[in-house]
Amino acid sequence: MNSLALFQAALQSSSRPAIIDRQGAYSYNELLQQAAEVRQTLLNDKSDLREARVAFLIEPGFEYAAVQWGIWQAGGIATPLGLKHPTPELEHVLQDADVSTIVVQPSLKERVASIALKHRCRLLDTQEIAAQATKQPATTQLTTNITPDRRAMILYTSGSTGRPKGVVTTHANILAQIDALVDAWNWHFDDHILHVLPMHHIHGIINVLGCAMRVGGVCEFLPSFNAQDVWSRFARGGLSLFMAVPTIYAKLIAAWEQASPATQKEWSAGAQKLRLMVSGSAALPIPTLETWESITGQRLLERYGMTEIGMALSNPLDGVRRAGHVGKPLPQVKVQRTNEAGEVVDDKTPGEIEVQGPNVFQAYWGQSEVTTASFRNGWFRTGDVAVVDQGDYRILGRNSVDIIKTGGYKISALEIEDVLRTHPQIQDCAVVGIPDEEWGERVAVNVVCPDGKTLTLEPLRAWCKERLAAYKAPSLLKVSEQLPRNAMGKVQKPQIRALFSPSPPPN
Ligand code: AMP
């Protein structure tokens, strides 16, 4: 296997369109050309970046892909930054990954200029790269000697403790994650996918952009998610694939329900023409699956995966896609379920999903003990519990109470609590996830205020958004005199969840 296998289809498809974004359409040749320029500027007379971390803050689209490829071709580790992340979160990544260079679009330079200076990162904007680089043949990068076992990417993901952890994948891991999906979902060079997902998360990076580029297909980006724009794009035709999180499907359904009958007809007819629509990153509520099928004729394919492993389980491309189930292991991915003692359990017994295979990440960046603890007997422990029902996996939830899934994002309650505790009107707090049909879960907080003070939701949300990504800001608040704790002083989260649950109907 060649570490640059991802670029092979690009070379063979050179004149074909690769990416469409709001600036226009770009061929594979242009993508390779621009990646070669990024590589040349990053290398700056060196022959290999030797796994230096290169962070990048770039809107989804052609420049994003060119910078990602340029970093890989220069031998760096690509570390995407979240566009909506506030400064403290960006800074955490720069510091934790010891980033040497940040590549940024000119319009976003202001967002990182001061932290780049503080952390002594070289700051390069994409316009400077274009101006500085000498035009090179698109094939130059194939002369690199990067081997598949070299580290390629760090994605930051929330764990059950503290700040987000950096998940490190090698070129071989990335290729294995992509190839499992290319194989299972029959990706082909004439595929054309619509991309509406963030580009600092595995879903958008691997499942959508990565797969499309691997087969020489077309990846079309919408600048940001907007339900009307997505429906209009379906109606214009020419797409074959769409992938999104359950929250996006819920928003599309809500927009469709508000449209006129003529518009509904046009939108539905457009969506019907795609060959495959996929949902994942959080549990797909059965009513969403059913409503989507009734308005588009598309039975969503639900799959299960994680930043650390790529995708592991998938419903079939051809065959029955059972509601509430995430299907079977993907090609080359080994999956088992175990009890606390690490013994494999029978189908009906809930067990923790463990995964093995070339798709499994290498390590958490700079956290060897956490990495070791996340494996047992060579299997990665996902923390998700499932049963198997006639061969298909059904996810029951996480075995940790402190991970919240909201709108397709996975966030740590503890991380939010740490930030909230710095609020002058918060003495103590506990964050929990509350089940919600639209978001999967909503972030709820129970706070204790110091004497005579109180808090209301909207000002608290505004305060949070200056310090945390917006989706981490609590959308439910309860003020109490004290938090329920057990004899060991541990907060009792089930009791806190109950505070937010609707009261039972009167008899
Ligand atoms: P992330 O690393 O952000 O992609 O989050 C991975 C987590 O999302 C998994 O550990 C699961 O808890 C959850 N997840 C992903 N796909 C599904 C699914 N189809 N059903 C239920 N949970 C899912």
Side-chain angles (χ1 to χ4, degrees):
M1 185 179 53
N2 181 337
S3 67
L4 297 178
L6 187 58
F7 310 126
Q8 297 296 351
L11 281 165
Q12 283 154 19
S13 321
S14 55
S15 60
R16 289 165 49 82
I19 287 177
I20 299 172
D21 65 16
R22 66 166 139 189
Q23 316 293 340
Y26 301 87
S27 68
Y28 276 96
N29 208 31
E30 287 170 294
L31 180 56
L32 288 166
Q33 180 85 51
Q34 183 137 341
E37 291 177 18
V38 172
R39 170 187 184 239
Q40 187 201 28
T41 314
L42 286 174
L43 284 173
N44 199 15
D45 294 337
K46 290 199 226 46
S47 62
D48 188 337
L49 289 183
R50 300 189 181 284
E51 301 189 341
R53 274 71 62 208
V54 181
F56 54 118
L57 187 69
I58 304 204
E59 281 178 12
F62 172 69
E63 285 201 328
Y64 179 102
V67 170
Q68 183 197 57
W69 284 21
I71 297 169
W72 285 342
Q73 290 158 5
I77 302 184
T79 312
L81 297 172
L83 277 180
K84 293 188 176 152
H85 286 182
T87 307
E89 290 211 31
L90 300 177
E91 219 177 331
H92 168 66
V93 174
L94 299 189
Q95 195 164 20
D96 188 70
D98 193 12
V99 164
S100 64
T101 304
I102 309 175
V103 184
V104 67
Q105 272 168 330
S107 59
L108 298 168
K109 210 168 176 176
E110 269 307 295
R111 300 233 13 233
V112 285
S114 64
I115 52 173
L117 199 66
K118 183 171 162 195
H119 293 274
R120 296 168 200 269
C121 302
R122 178 183 177 204
L123 185 60
L124 274 177
D125 83 43
T126 47
Q127 229 163 36
E128 284 168 51
I129 293 176
Q132 280 172 21
T134 44
K135 298 284 168 234
Q136 309 194 19
T139 49
T140 316
Q141 60 277 355
L142 290 185
T143 60
T144 59
N145 51 8
I146 296 156
T147 51
D149 57 339
R150 287 262 303 255
R151 295 178 291 185
M153 184 157 69
I154 305 181
L155 295 181
Y156 275 79
T157 179
S158 292
S160 53
T161 51
R163 306 284 288 174
K165 300 191 289 276
V167 173
V168 182
T169 43
T170 62
H171 288 279
N173 295 149
I174 291 172
L175 206 58
Q177 292 175 358
I178 290 173
D179 282 350
L181 299 182
V182 166
D183 187 357
W185 299 343
N186 202 12
W187 273 89
H188 197 251
F189 74 94
D190 53 13
D191 271 324
H192 185 144
I193 190 160
L194 183 65
H195 196 313
V196 296
L197 297 166
M199 286 302 285
H200 63 283
H201 186 267
I202 188 152
H203 198 161
I205 297 173
I206 298 290
N207 300 21
V208 185
L209 179 65
C211 288
M213 298 298 98
R214 174 78 171 122
V215 297
V218 181
C219 185
E220 178 172 340
F221 289 87
L222 286 183
S224 60
F225 174 76
N226 171 291
Q228 268 83 9
D229 292 349
V230 171
W231 279 117
S232 306
R233 185 59 197 87
F234 289 160
R236 279 216 329 271
L239 299 172
S240 61
L241 293 155
F242 182 67
M243 295 180 195
V245 298
T247 315
I248 286 186
Y249 287 107
K251 288 191 166 155
L252 289 170
I253 290 170
W256 187 92
E257 283 168 348
Q258 276 165 19
S260 69
T263 305
Q264 286 180 341
K265 205 168 155 200
E266 192 195 341
W267 286 356
S268 295
Q272 211 155 21
K273 295 203 185 86
L274 277 68
R275 77 166 178 89
L276 176 65
M277 288 188 167
V278 178
S279 173
S281 296
L284 176 66
I286 294 176
T288 309
L289 172 97
E290 288 170 348
T291 311
W292 189 255
E293 189 168 15
S294 76
I295 65 179
T296 64
Q298 294 277 355
R299 178 86 173 170
L300 291 173
L301 181 154
E302 185 174 6
R303 58 50 179 188
Y304 159 88
M306 199 176 181
T307 308
E308 287 87 337
I309 57 172
M311 300 303 113
L313 300 161
S314 171
N315 272 289
L317 181 65
D318 301 310
V320 181
R321 299 175 191 164
R322 290 170 64 204
H325 294 73
V326 292
K328 298 180 171 64
L330 283 161
Q332 312 298 322
V333 181
K334 286 205 258 169
V335 182
Q336 66 177 22
R337 289 169 320 104
T338 57
N339 60 20
E340 271 303 301
E343 297 151 350
V344 173
V345 294
D346 63 38
D347 283 3
K348 286 197 175 67
T349 307
E352 179 180 355
I353 298 176
E354 296 185 344
V355 180
Q356 217 176 46
N359 53 306
V360 176
F361 77 124
Q362 192 205 50
Y364 292 113
W365 181 260
Q367 301 206 37
S368 54
E369 280 176 21
V370 180
T371 306
T372 307
S374 65
F375 285 84
R376 180 163 54 188
N377 303 326
W379 293 80
F380 173 68
R381 304 181 64 177
T382 62
D384 291 308
V385 175
V387 289
V388 177
D389 176 6
Q390 295 168 43
D392 290 319
Y393 282 68
R394 188 157 63 82
I395 309 286
L396 301 179
R398 296 197 59 79
N399 58 9
S400 152
V401 291
D402 288 319
I403 299 296
I404 301 171
K405 287 289 312 193
T406 183
Y409 292 105
K410 189 178 63 167
I411 59 187
S412 159
L414 305 192
E415 185 204 348
I416 302 171
E417 289 166 12
D418 280 348
V419 173
L420 286 173
R421 288 200 188 96
T422 67
H423 191 291
Q425 274 150 261
I426 294 180
Q427 187 179 315
D428 204 355
C429 66
V431 169
V432 293
I434 300 296
D436 179 82
E437 199 152 288
E438 187 181 359
W439 294 98
E441 283 185 296
R442 289 173 72 178
V443 180
V445 64
N446 185 197
V447 302
V448 177
C449 300
D451 278 349
K453 301 216 168 105
T454 192
L455 258 186
T456 51
L457 185 63
E458 280 322 310
L460 178 66
R461 279 176 64 73
W463 182 91
C464 284
K465 284 181 192 167
E466 283 169 20
R467 291 158 180 87
L468 289 165
Y471 55 82
K472 296 180 184 173
S475 61
L476 298 167
L477 167 73
K478 287 259 193 274
V479 181
S480 306
E481 292 202 345
Q482 56 180 23
L483 299 181
R485 292 181 185 271
N486 70 8
M488 300 292 291
K490 268 170 113 54
V491 174
Q492 300 299 285
K493 292 215 166 169
Q495 289 182 38
I496 293 182
R497 275 212 203 89
L499 287 177
F500 295 92
S501 307
S503 20
N507 287 328

